[in-house]
Amino acid sequence: MMEIFRILDEMEMFLKQSKKVPFTGGQRLVDIDRFLDRVDRIRAVLPEELEASRILLAEKQDIIAGAQMEADQYFEESTSMVDRLIDDNEIARRAQTRAEQIITEAQEVARRNKRDADEYADGVLTHVQLVLQKGLDAVIMGKDELRRADEENDY
């Protein structure tokens, strides 16, 4: 992630340090090869960033699966406990109440774990989206700059 930011910073500095063309309203001369080299470097780094995102999504799924397994285990334990304690006396009624509490707690734990995993994945994906958008914006700006330079050279 940091590599893309570093390359984008280089591109920004490169554009800011390029020489201004007199009488053009602030347009600048850009070394196309140097600029395109940076674009190629971004393209090379993006698959690594996307793989990192894929790994984070897999981790999220593992967290959710673990939470579901834990909830299922709580449910099975509660059901087993209820089956053993079914009786018409006070002990059976208390066991039933406790089993329902355990099931409720297990469901709440599963919901919290899933929500936390979703929030974590959303944050990571939002960050990746911002990085990719910045890279795309830089590429578009570079292409526009090149197009303007070509149009000026055609006249």
Side-chain angles (χ1 to χ4, degrees), residues 5-62:
F5 284 130
R6 192 180 62 71
I7 295 169
L8 290 173
D9 288 343
E10 286 177 16
M11 291 172 77
E12 180 181 9
M13 188 63 79
F14 173 68
L15 290 173
K16 286 180 179 178
Q17 291 176 348
S18 61
K19 294 182 181 180
K20 289 185 179 181
V21 177
F23 309 111
T24 62
Q27 293 187 0
R28 298 173 178 268
L29 286 176
V30 176
D31 180 348
I32 293 172
D33 291 333
R34 213 170 139 197
F35 190 83
L36 290 177
D37 176 61
R38 299 314 188 281
V39 171
D40 287 341
R41 285 174 47 203
I42 288 174
R43 283 189 184 119
V45 171
L46 278 177
E48 295 171 11
E49 301 295 338
L50 293 175
E51 178 62 15
S53 297
R54 187 196 63 75
I55 290 170
L56 287 173
L57 285 175
E59 289 175 1
K60 172 195 168 201
Q61 292 301 328
D62 289 345

Side-chain angles (χ1 to χ4, degrees), residues 101-120:
Q101 288 173 343
I102 291 171
I103 290 170
T104 302
E105 290 171 8
Q107 290 169 339
E108 181 59 33
V109 166
R111 277 193 296 274
R112 276 196 313 263
N113 287 344
K114 183 179 183 317
R115 185 190 66 233
D116 291 347
D118 286 346
E119 288 174 2
Y120 177 73

Side-chain angles (χ1 to χ4, degrees), residues 78-94:
S78 299
T79 303
S80 177
M81 184 186 300
V82 168
D83 289 344
R84 284 190 312 267
L85 297 175
I86 290 183
D87 193 313
D88 289 333
N89 62 27
E90 182 62 25
I91 296 172
R93 284 189 293 275
R94 280 192 252 155

